[in-house]
Amino acid sequence: MGRVTSDTTATDAAAQHAPEPPGAPPVWQRRLRRFGLPVRPQTDVRTRLVPAFPEPSGRLWAVFGAGPEAAARLTRWSAWAGPLLVALFAGVLRFWNLGSPRKVIFDETYYPKDAWSLLQYGYEGTWAKNANGALVGHPPELLLSPEHSYVVHPPMGKWLIALGEGVFGMNPFGWRFMVALLGTLSVLLICRIGRRLLRSTALGCLAGALLAVDGLHFVMSRTALLDLIVMFWVVAAFGCLLVDRDRTRARLAAALPVGPDGLARPDESVGDRLRLGWRPWRIAAGLCLGLSAATKWNGLYYLAAFALMAVLWDVAARRTAGARRPFRSALRRDVLPAFGATVVVAVATYLASWSGWIATKGGYYRDWATTPEGRTGAWVWVPDWLRSLWHYQTEVYSFHTGLTTPHTYQSNPWSWLVLGRPVSYFYEDPKAGQDGCTVAEGCAREVLALGTPLLWWAACFALLYVLYRWLFQRDWRAGAILCAVAAGYLPWFLYQERTIFLFYAVVFVPFLCLALAMMIGAIIGPPGSTERRRTIGAVGAGVLVLLIAWNFIYFYPLYTGMPIPKSAWHHRMWFDTWV
C-alpha cells in the first residue's frame, strides 16, 4: 500500500482546469484522499492482479558479515526457516510437561473418553461415574461399556484425539498430544499465511510469534477440547483460499493482452468470459471447512463466510481484468463451481466423518429409522442410516439452542475481547510440602483459559485499524481478516440466553494476531518512509511486542498449573471476574 497524503488547495485548483490524463481518477476521488481514501496510480493490470512480493533487504545478514550472495540466499531461506523456527518455539512451549496436571480437567471429562470409545467400538459408549479418577489412578482403569451414550458434537475432533491415545495410551499426555500438535502447526500456518497476506516474512513470523504466546491458544493447545481443532481447520481453509486467490488472479493476468508499451491491458473478453478452470486449492478449502464443521457446528459459519468471501474475490479479480459486468460474470461462471468446491465438498466430508457411527449398529439413534416413529412420514424411501442420522442432528440442534443451564464461568460475548470472564479448567491449593509447594502461606495451582491480556487489548485497537483500512483504503487484506474474526465472533451474539464461554473465541484468535501484525507493520512505517520515521516506529513496535511477551511469561504459571504462592496468585487476579 502506498502512503496516504493530502492534496493542497493549489493542487485542487489546478486540477480543475488542467486536462485530465487518460485513465486518471476523478477529482472527487482525489479529494477523498484527505479522509484516507487512496487514489492508486494507474499501473500494469498484471501488477494489480498479482502484486509482486517486495524484494527483501539483505542488510540484516550483512550486519553479521554475510556477503551479497550469501545474504540473498539466507533471505530466500528465511521464507521457510523463519516460520519453522517460530513453530519450533511454539511446539517446545506446548509439549513441555504436557501431561501435567495429571488430571481430567474441565471438559476433558467428555472428549478423551469419547475418543477412546470410538477406537473401541466406532461410536461413543458409556463410562462409569467414577471413570475420571480411575483413568489417572495407580494403576489406571478403563471403566467403559458398549452401551451407547448421547453426545452432542460430531466425531471428527474426537477421532483426532483418538490418534494420540492410540499411540501413547489413555493418559493425559496421550489425549492431549494431537491437540498440542495441531496448536503448533497452526502457528506455522499463521506465519506462512501472514507472509502471503501481508507480503512480508517478518510480519508473518510476527503474527505466528504472537499466536505462540497467546495464553488462550496456549492453554487450549494443552487441553483435549474440540475448539482448537476447529480453529486449526479454519486457519488451514483460510490459507488454501489465499493460495487459490493468487493462482486464479495469475491465470487472469496471463490471459490479458499486452500493449505496445509492454504493459497488460484490461480486456472485456478475458474479464467477462474466461473460465477459471480446475481449482484444487478451493476444493482443499472445502475439505478443511467440512472437517471444522465435523468437529463442532460453529465451523458452519466459517463455511458460509469463506464461501461468500471467495466469490467476492472472484468478482474483484474479474473487474480488475476488465469485466464490464463482474457480478454477472461471476454469477454465471464462478458461483456454481465455488458452491461445489466448498459447500458440496464440506457436506460430503461431514457425512464421511460419521463413518464409524454408520458402519456400526450400537450408536445413539443408529436404529431410529427402524422404530415405529421412524417408519412414518414422507421420507421413508431415504436409506435408514441417513434418516437416523438426520433425526440425530435435529435432536442435537434442539439441545444446543436450548442450553441455558447456568455455569459459574459462562460469559457474554460482549466481554470476550476484553477478557471479562476467563474459564478456570483446574484449581488446587496445596499446603506447604505438598505438590511442590515450598512456602508457608500455601500455594495455588490453576489452569486458567485466559488470553494474554496485553495482546488482546492491543488487538482491540488493531481491529479498529483494519476496519479503517478496509473501509477507507479498500484494503482487501483487512477485509479478509475482519471476515474471519466476524465469522467466529458475531454468531454468538444470536445466542444471548445460551450458556457460552470465552474459550470459544480461540477459533478467531489467529486472525486477531494477523490484525495486530498488520497494525504493527503500520507503526513501523511503510516502505519509503524516512529512516527516522522507521526507527521511531520500530522502537515503539518492539516495546509493544516485548510487553506482550513479558505478559505471557507473567501469567505462565496460571496457564500450566504450576504451584505458586497464594499471594502471587492473588496478584495475577487483575479483576474480580477472573476469580
Side-chain angles (χ1 to χ4, degrees):
M1 297 297 298
R3 296 177 63 187
V4 178
T5 59
S6 298
D7 289 333
T8 63
T9 305
T11 301
D12 282 344
Q16 293 176 4
H17 302 289
E20 297 287 351
V27 174
W28 69 266
Q29 196 176 68
R30 293 200 300 273
R31 286 175 175 169
L32 284 179
R33 294 168 68 183
R34 301 171 183 173
F35 303 98
L37 182 71
V39 176
R40 294 183 174 87
Q42 297 300 302
T43 58
D44 181 20
V45 180
R46 280 204 188 99
T47 303
R48 291 164 56 197
L49 281 169
V50 190
F53 199 99
E55 191 65 29
S57 171
R59 287 185 300 175
L60 175 64
W61 302 110
V63 170
F64 295 99
E69 292 186 6
R73 187 163 53 250
L74 289 169
T75 300
R76 288 194 302 271
W77 289 352
S78 67
W80 272 104
L84 287 172
L85 286 174
V86 174
L88 177 63
F89 167 71
V92 170
L93 283 177
R94 280 148 180 75
F95 280 97
W96 184 264
N97 205 17
L98 181 61
S100 176
R102 186 176 168 77
K103 303 280 186 179
V104 178
I105 63 175
F106 199 61
D107 278 358
E108 286 186 342
T109 189
Y110 303 116
Y111 310 123
K113 293 188 292 186
D114 286 345
W116 184 261
S117 180
L118 289 175
L119 281 179
Q120 309 308 310
Y121 309 126
Y123 62 90
E124 292 87 346
T126 299
W127 291 78
K129 290 185 178 180
N130 60 333
N132 288 356
L135 282 175
V136 294
H138 300 283
E141 295 182 76
L142 304 176
L143 306 181
L144 173 65
S145 71
E147 177 66 24
H148 58 232
S149 63
Y150 179 54
V151 294
V152 294
H153 292 299
M156 187 64 238
K158 290 170 280 189
W159 277 114
L160 288 173
I161 292 172
L163 290 178
E165 294 174 343
V167 175
F168 299 104
M170 186 58 173
N171 55 68
F173 182 87
W175 66 61
R176 294 169 189 162
F177 175 83
M178 282 302 298
V179 185
L181 178 62
L182 294 180
T184 302
L185 291 176
S186 67
V187 172
L188 176 62
L189 286 176
I190 285 297
C191 289
R192 292 290 297 175
I193 287 170
R195 181 181 185 273
R196 180 178 289 270
L197 186 71
L198 305 177
R199 288 297 195 261
S200 167
T201 300
L203 291 181
C205 290
L206 174 61
L210 291 171
L211 186 61
V213 297
D214 174 62
L216 182 61
H217 186 275
F218 177 75
V219 170
M220 297 297 288
S221 297
R222 293 170 53 88
T223 313
L225 273 63
L226 301 179
D227 300 85
L228 185 124
I229 300 175
V230 177
M231 179 275 304
F232 174 80
W233 293 120
V234 165
V235 168
F238 187 81
C240 290
L241 289 176
L242 279 181
V243 177
D244 173 75
R245 181 185 186 276
D246 284 352
R247 294 195 171 194
T248 299
R249 293 170 75 91
R251 191 174 301 157
L252 280 168
L256 291 173
V258 178
D261 55 0
L263 299 179
R265 303 295 190 212
D267 185 85
E268 181 181 340
S269 63
V270 173
D272 276 324
R273 300 184 182 89
L274 182 70
R275 294 189 179 277
L276 299 177
W278 174 250
R279 301 174 71 168
W281 284 100
R282 180 171 281 185
I283 295 174
L287 175 65
C288 292
L289 290 168
L291 291 171
S292 71
T295 301
K296 284 185 79 172
W297 280 3
N298 54 322
L300 292 172
Y301 293 113
Y302 276 100
L303 173 61
F306 282 4
L308 177 61
M309 180 178 70
V311 170
L312 292 177
W313 284 351
D314 287 347
V315 171
R318 289 188 178 277
R319 179 188 291 113
T320 303
R324 292 184 62 188
R325 299 178 179 87
F327 280 96
R328 180 184 296 182
S329 299
L331 184 63
R332 293 176 59 186
R333 305 191 184 280
D334 302 324
V335 169
L336 189 59
F339 182 83
T342 53
V343 177
V344 174
V345 170
V347 170
T349 303
Y350 183 85
L351 288 175
S353 74
W354 286 88
S355 297
W357 182 89
I358 294 169
T360 58
K361 291 295 183 182
Y364 203 86
Y365 280 133
R366 177 61 184 85
D367 297 321
W368 175 86
T370 63
T371 65
E373 181 185 0
R375 293 196 187 100
T376 60
W379 300 94
V380 291
W381 54 273
V382 175
D384 288 351
W385 67 267
L386 187 54
R387 284 190 291 127
S388 296
L389 182 60
W390 177 257
H391 178 72
Y392 196 171
Q393 306 308 295
T394 59
E395 292 296 311
V396 169
Y397 178 78
S398 298
F399 170 85
H400 284 306
T401 55
L403 182 60
T404 57
T405 305
H407 192 284
T408 304
Y409 291 105
Q410 72 182 71
S411 59
N412 191 286
W414 286 108
S415 69
W416 287 1
L417 290 179
V418 294
L419 302 173
R421 182 60 170 164
V423 182
S424 180
Y425 287 175
F426 166 79
Y427 181 84
E428 286 183 347
D429 51 354
K431 307 300 181 185
Q434 299 177 351
D435 293 334
C437 182
T438 58
V439 294
E441 65 177 297
C443 294
R445 295 184 65 200
E446 185 171 27
V447 175
L448 186 66
L450 171 73
T452 303
L454 292 185
L455 190 157
W456 281 63
W457 298 339
C460 292
F461 293 97
L463 288 177
L464 294 176
Y465 171 72
V466 296
L467 180 62
Y468 158 78
R469 288 288 291 257
W470 180 53
L471 291 176
F472 293 103
Q473 296 194 1
R474 297 172 294 169
D475 192 330
W476 70 270
R477 302 169 301 172
I481 293 171
L482 287 172
C483 175
V485 173
Y489 184 35
L490 297 184
W492 293 111
F493 287 92
L494 301 174
Y495 305 101
Q496 294 286 315
E497 303 302 322
R498 190 186 185 278
T499 308
I500 53 180
F501 302 92
L502 169 65
F503 65 81
Y504 295 171
V506 73
V507 181
F508 61 82
V509 165
F511 303 101
L512 295 182
C513 294
L514 285 172
L516 187 52
M518 192 175 193
M519 186 181 76
I520 289 174
I523 292 173
I524 294 173
S529 300
T530 64
E531 196 71 25
R532 175 182 173 83
R533 163 70 178 85
R534 291 181 69 85
T535 299
I536 294 174
V539 170
V543 169
L544 175 59
V545 172
L546 288 176
L547 286 174
I548 290 171
W550 163 83
N551 207 210
F552 173 78
I553 295 170
Y554 179 73
F555 284 100
Y556 183 82
L558 298 188
Y559 298 145
T560 57
M562 292 174 55
I564 57 175
K566 275 287 187 64
S567 58
W569 179 84
H570 281 292
H571 289 158
R572 287 165 173 81
M573 295 296 106
W574 286 0
F575 302 100
D576 293 340
T577 56
W578 289 10
V579 179

PDB file of all heavy atoms in Angstrom, residues 535-548:
ATOM      1  N   THR A 535      12.736   4.202  12.367  1.00  0.00           N
ATOM      2  CA  THR A 535      13.433   3.903  13.622  1.00  0.00           C
ATOM      3  C   THR A 535      12.507   4.107  14.819  1.00  0.00           C
ATOM      4  O   THR A 535      12.401   3.250  15.705  1.00  0.00           O
ATOM      5  CB  THR A 535      14.681   4.792  13.769  1.00  0.00           C
ATOM      6  OG1 THR A 535      15.569   4.537  12.682  1.00  0.00           O
ATOM      7  CG2 THR A 535      15.389   4.501  15.085  1.00  0.00           C
ATOM      8  N   ILE A 536      11.804   5.242  14.821  1.00  0.00           N
ATOM      9  CA  ILE A 536      10.861   5.507  15.915  1.00  0.00           C
ATOM     10  C   ILE A 536       9.752   4.458  15.914  1.00  0.00           C
ATOM     11  O   ILE A 536       9.363   3.929  16.966  1.00  0.00           O
ATOM     12  CB  ILE A 536      10.276   6.927  15.775  1.00  0.00           C
ATOM     13  CG1 ILE A 536      11.372   7.977  15.979  1.00  0.00           C
ATOM     14  CG2 ILE A 536       9.147   7.137  16.778  1.00  0.00           C
ATOM     15  CD1 ILE A 536      10.925   9.393  15.710  1.00  0.00           C
ATOM     16  N   GLY A 537       9.245   4.143  14.727  1.00  0.00           N
ATOM     17  CA  GLY A 537       8.199   3.132  14.640  1.00  0.00           C
ATOM     18  C   GLY A 537       8.665   1.769  15.096  1.00  0.00           C
ATOM     19  O   GLY A 537       7.932   1.052  15.803  1.00  0.00           O
ATOM     20  N   ALA A 538       9.883   1.381  14.725  1.00  0.00           N
ATOM     21  CA  ALA A 538      10.409   0.080  15.120  1.00  0.00           C
ATOM     22  C   ALA A 538      10.597  -0.008  16.634  1.00  0.00           C
ATOM     23  O   ALA A 538      10.329  -1.046  17.244  1.00  0.00           O
ATOM     24  CB  ALA A 538      11.733  -0.187  14.404  1.00  0.00           C
ATOM     25  N   VAL A 539      11.039   1.098  17.242  1.00  0.00           N
ATOM     26  CA  VAL A 539      11.202   1.104  18.700  1.00  0.00           C
ATOM     27  C   VAL A 539       9.846   0.949  19.387  1.00  0.00           C
ATOM     28  O   VAL A 539       9.675   0.144  20.314  1.00  0.00           O
ATOM     29  CB  VAL A 539      11.896   2.408  19.153  1.00  0.00           C
ATOM     30  CG1 VAL A 539      11.846   2.534  20.680  1.00  0.00           C
ATOM     31  CG2 VAL A 539      13.342   2.419  18.670  1.00  0.00           C
ATOM     32  N   GLY A 540       8.851   1.708  18.916  1.00  0.00           N
ATOM     33  CA  GLY A 540       7.511   1.591  19.504  1.00  0.00           C
ATOM     34  C   GLY A 540       6.929   0.199  19.330  1.00  0.00           C
ATOM     35  O   GLY A 540       6.360  -0.377  20.266  1.00  0.00           O
ATOM     36  N   ALA A 541       7.068  -0.373  18.114  1.00  0.00           N
ATOM     37  CA  ALA A 541       6.560  -1.719  17.868  1.00  0.00           C
ATOM     38  C   ALA A 541       7.304  -2.750  18.710  1.00  0.00           C
ATOM     39  O   ALA A 541       6.698  -3.677  19.258  1.00  0.00           O
ATOM     40  CB  ALA A 541       6.682  -2.053  16.382  1.00  0.00           C
ATOM     41  N   GLY A 542       8.611  -2.568  18.834  1.00  0.00           N
ATOM     42  CA  GLY A 542       9.389  -3.506  19.635  1.00  0.00           C
ATOM     43  C   GLY A 542       8.999  -3.491  21.105  1.00  0.00           C
ATOM     44  O   GLY A 542       8.913  -4.540  21.750  1.00  0.00           O
ATOM     45  N   VAL A 543       8.748  -2.310  21.625  1.00  0.00           N
ATOM     46  CA  VAL A 543       8.306  -2.205  23.021  1.00  0.00           C
ATOM     47  C   VAL A 543       6.980  -2.924  23.218  1.00  0.00           C
ATOM     48  O   VAL A 543       6.794  -3.669  24.195  1.00  0.00           O
ATOM     49  CB  VAL A 543       8.194  -0.722  23.440  1.00  0.00           C
ATOM     50  CG1 VAL A 543       7.485  -0.590  24.788  1.00  0.00           C
ATOM     51  CG2 VAL A 543       9.578  -0.087  23.504  1.00  0.00           C
ATOM     52  N   LEU A 544       6.046  -2.746  22.289  1.00  0.00           N
ATOM     53  CA  LEU A 544       4.745  -3.416  22.392  1.00  0.00           C
ATOM     54  C   LEU A 544       4.906  -4.938  22.375  1.00  0.00           C
ATOM     55  O   LEU A 544       4.312  -5.645  23.202  1.00  0.00           O
ATOM     56  CB  LEU A 544       3.839  -2.966  21.252  1.00  0.00           C
ATOM     57  CG  LEU A 544       2.470  -3.671  21.154  1.00  0.00           C
ATOM     58  CD1 LEU A 544       1.658  -3.472  22.421  1.00  0.00           C
ATOM     59  CD2 LEU A 544       1.707  -3.182  19.931  1.00  0.00           C
ATOM     60  N   VAL A 545       5.717  -5.451  21.454  1.00  0.00           N
ATOM     61  CA  VAL A 545       5.909  -6.899  21.354  1.00  0.00           C
ATOM     62  C   VAL A 545       6.581  -7.443  22.611  1.00  0.00           C
ATOM     63  O   VAL A 545       6.200  -8.501  23.132  1.00  0.00           O
ATOM     64  CB  VAL A 545       6.721  -7.240  20.090  1.00  0.00           C
ATOM     65  CG1 VAL A 545       7.099  -8.717  20.073  1.00  0.00           C
ATOM     66  CG2 VAL A 545       5.936  -6.887  18.833  1.00  0.00           C
ATOM     67  N   LEU A 546       7.571  -6.738  23.129  1.00  0.00           N
ATOM     68  CA  LEU A 546       8.253  -7.198  24.346  1.00  0.00           C
ATOM     69  C   LEU A 546       7.308  -7.187  25.544  1.00  0.00           C
ATOM     70  O   LEU A 546       7.360  -8.093  26.396  1.00  0.00           O
ATOM     71  CB  LEU A 546       9.470  -6.317  24.622  1.00  0.00           C
ATOM     72  CG  LEU A 546      10.655  -6.504  23.664  1.00  0.00           C
ATOM     73  CD1 LEU A 546      11.758  -5.499  23.974  1.00  0.00           C
ATOM     74  CD2 LEU A 546      11.215  -7.936  23.759  1.00  0.00           C
ATOM     75  N   LEU A 547       6.429  -6.191  25.631  1.00  0.00           N
ATOM     76  CA  LEU A 547       5.455  -6.161  26.725  1.00  0.00           C
ATOM     77  C   LEU A 547       4.487  -7.341  26.637  1.00  0.00           C
ATOM     78  O   LEU A 547       4.122  -7.943  27.658  1.00  0.00           O
ATOM     79  CB  LEU A 547       4.684  -4.841  26.699  1.00  0.00           C
ATOM     80  CG  LEU A 547       5.442  -3.603  27.181  1.00  0.00           C
ATOM     81  CD1 LEU A 547       4.607  -2.344  26.958  1.00  0.00           C
ATOM     82  CD2 LEU A 547       5.809  -3.739  28.665  1.00  0.00           C
ATOM     83  N   ILE A 548       4.086  -7.694  25.419  1.00  0.00           N
ATOM     84  CA  ILE A 548       3.203  -8.857  25.247  1.00  0.00           C
ATOM     85  C   ILE A 548       3.924 -10.127  25.668  1.00  0.00           C
ATOM     86  O   ILE A 548       3.351 -10.995  26.351  1.00  0.00           O
ATOM     87  CB  ILE A 548       2.724  -8.932  23.781  1.00  0.00           C
ATOM     88  CG1 ILE A 548       1.754  -7.796  23.490  1.00  0.00           C
ATOM     89  CG2 ILE A 548       2.077 -10.284  23.494  1.00  0.00           C
ATOM     90  CD1 ILE A 548       1.384  -7.661  22.019  1.00  0.00           C
TER      91      ILE A 548
END
